[in-house]
Amino acid sequence: PSTAILLNSNENPYGPSPLARKAILESYTTSNRYPDDHIDLLKQKIAAHWGVSAENILMGAGSSEIIGLTALHVSRKKKKVITAEPAYKVWNNQATAFGLTISRTALTADRKFDLPALAAAVDEDTAMVYICNPNNPTGTVVEVPALKNFTMEASKKTMVFIDEAYTEYARLESLASLAITNKNVVVAKTFSKIYGLAGARLGYAIAHAETIKKLASYQAWSSFSASTVSVAAASASLEHSTFIEDGREKTEQAKELCYETFRKLSLEYIPSRANFILFSINTIKKDFIREME
């Protein structure tokens, strides 16, 4: 059913915003035109939103494309990527196709990225460290000061990729200001989650201008994975702060309802700072997926 909430997709069931929907309807009639000017304007709007320059922005078809471009870039020189287990994995097959191997460190006891363990795992063969914060699928957060310190040190040896797909839910400070001054740091953002535009496929990188140029060189047409319609939707979404706040509040309420239910059913769960919850189904003897359907 089109109205189903797909719990395994981490989608925003409340979006797109009314402003984005209006922009989509108004823009699709101009889909016969390339979106050159619209993309440039969106880059400027995103740059202003994060206090960076347009030259620090690269658009992609979701932040997954940004991860893929970065993996391709780092694979040219070294062959190992370090991340945690579990962490977001959609891009892993692509990285493997580029000749990269994935090395995983365990999470801490409270299910967070273990920054000291990651730092210890970095060696001369390391091409990149990948950190998703808040982490998918655990929903846990590494505090920003500690992450900044780690990033500054690790980036002296390798590329550090910070996936900020869910930072808006957790109200976390972005590492954008660090990324634009450091050629070995890439921050990825997306309109797929809190902005409710997963189907529009629009994400972007924030990085040093020279790093952006290198990543852009792997695209057939720099930043043109974005369509006229998706750009219009994203641009309108950035202006609709009340919708974002409302979605945040509804998500918190929904999580509390889930927590209450988990406790009643004696199901172990991890409190989440994102819009999803990881919980255990070990005590459920039935076919859980079929039961949920």
Side-chain angles (χ1 to χ4, degrees), residues 77-149:
K77 295 182 179 180
K78 298 179 180 180
K79 296 301 178 184
K80 183 170 74 173
V81 175
I82 300 172
T83 188
E85 176 60 38
Y88 182 58
K89 295 182 178 180
V90 166
W91 57 278
N92 286 185
N93 287 340
Q94 187 178 27
T96 301
F98 295 151
L100 294 165
T101 59
I102 312 293
S103 178
R104 307 183 192 280
T105 62
L107 298 174
T108 61
D110 52 357
R111 282 103 165 198
K112 298 180 180 181
F113 270 84
D114 189 333
L115 297 182
L118 287 172
V122 174
D123 58 25
E124 60 183 13
D125 296 322
T126 303
M128 183 171 77
V129 177
Y130 171 87
I131 297 176
C132 187
N133 197 46
N135 185 32
N136 176 1
T138 60
T140 53
V141 162
V142 174
E143 297 306 324
V144 172
L147 183 57
K148 279 185 176 180
N149 290 337

Side-chain angles (χ1 to χ4, degrees), residues 123-188:
D123 58 25
E124 60 183 13
D125 296 322
T126 303
M128 183 171 77
V129 177
Y130 171 87
I131 297 176
C132 187
N133 197 46
N135 185 32
N136 176 1
T138 60
T140 53
V141 162
V142 174
E143 297 306 324
V144 172
L147 183 57
K148 279 185 176 180
N149 290 337
F150 167 85
T151 301
M152 286 188 291
E153 289 302 312
S155 63
K156 295 175 182 177
K157 302 177 182 178
T158 189
M159 181 71 76
V160 180
F161 191 101
I162 309 296
D163 189 337
E164 295 187 348
Y166 303 96
T167 51
E168 289 85 0
Y169 283 108
R171 300 179 186 274
L172 291 181
E173 175 190 353
S174 174
L175 265 65
S177 60
L178 177 60
I180 63 172
T181 60
N182 189 323
K183 296 179 183 178
N184 263 358
V185 179
V186 175
V187 167

Side-chain angles (χ1 to χ4, degrees), residues 20-89:
R21 297 180 195 201
K22 183 174 182 291
I24 288 170
L25 292 174
E26 292 175 349
S27 64
Y28 85 93
T29 57
T30 61
S31 293
N32 59 309
R33 303 288 187 184
Y34 288 112
D36 310 50
D37 295 339
H38 300 289
I39 288 176
D40 289 341
L41 289 172
L42 178 58
K43 282 184 178 181
Q44 292 171 21
K45 187 175 287 189
I46 291 171
H49 184 77
W50 295 112
V52 301
S53 299
E55 66 179 4
N56 300 121
I57 306 295
L58 179 69
M59 309 305 301
S63 56
S64 295
E65 182 184 356
I66 301 302
I67 305 174
L69 293 172
T70 310
L72 175 60
H73 176 60
V74 301
S75 69
R76 300 174 68 194
K77 295 182 179 180
K78 298 179 180 180
K79 296 301 178 184
K80 183 170 74 173
V81 175
I82 300 172
T83 188
E85 176 60 38
Y88 182 58
K89 295 182 178 180

